[in-house]
Amino acid sequence: MALRDMAKEYRVNTALLELRMKQLQVAQRRARQKEVKFRLKQRIGCLRVLINESRKTAFVLEHYYERGGQQHENKRAV
């Protein structure tokens, strides 16, 4: 599998994680119990971390062969 193909897989998985996060945000707004809202907030926070890491990985994979691949390691992915 080529790096660009791997990057595409990361982008697809990122979109799925973003969809799930939006679903949890809707559930959080509709929740009435504080405990439920709190747990959903925690899950959303974990998903944000996964989404950001996935975006960064996809970006690095997409641009790996540009000037040696190391200059993008500490850049923002989007």
Side-chain angles (χ1 to χ4, degrees), residues 61-77:
L61 290 171
E62 289 166 348
H63 297 66
Y64 184 79
Y65 291 111
E66 297 172 9
R67 299 185 199 153
Q70 299 301 322
Q71 77 282 1
H72 295 295
E73 221 167 84
N74 294 318
K75 304 263 182 185
R76 292 190 65 190

Side-chain angles (χ1 to χ4, degrees), residues 16-18 20 22 27-28 30 33-36 38 42 47 51 54 60 65 73-74 76:
L16 293 172
L17 291 171
E18 289 170 338
R20 183 62 182 146
K22 288 179 191 285
Q28 183 185 26
R30 291 181 179 170
Q33 298 173 338
K34 287 184 180 183
E35 179 66 25
V36 173
F38 176 75
Q42 286 183 314
L47 280 176
I51 289 167
S54 185
V60 170
Y65 291 111
E73 221 167 84
N74 294 318
R76 292 190 65 190

Side-chain angles (χ1 to χ4, degrees), residues 1-64:
M1 180 180 277
L3 293 181
R4 289 218 180 256
D5 296 332
M6 290 173 63
K8 286 180 187 177
E9 288 293 321
Y10 272 94
R11 294 287 183 192
V12 168
N13 288 329
T14 300
L16 293 172
L17 291 171
E18 289 170 338
L19 175 64
R20 183 62 182 146
M21 185 174 72
K22 288 179 191 285
Q23 292 170 339
L24 291 176
Q25 288 171 335
V26 169
Q28 183 185 26
R29 284 192 295 271
R30 291 181 179 170
R32 295 178 185 220
Q33 298 173 338
K34 287 184 180 183
E35 179 66 25
V36 173
K37 285 185 179 220
F38 176 75
R39 288 177 188 246
L40 288 169
K41 182 179 178 181
Q42 286 183 314
R43 290 173 64 189
I44 291 167
C46 291
L47 280 176
R48 280 197 176 114
V49 171
L50 291 173
I51 289 167
N52 289 335
E53 288 297 320
S54 185
R55 284 180 182 159
K56 181 180 177 183
T57 302
F59 181 83
V60 170
L61 290 171
E62 289 166 348
H63 297 66
Y64 184 79

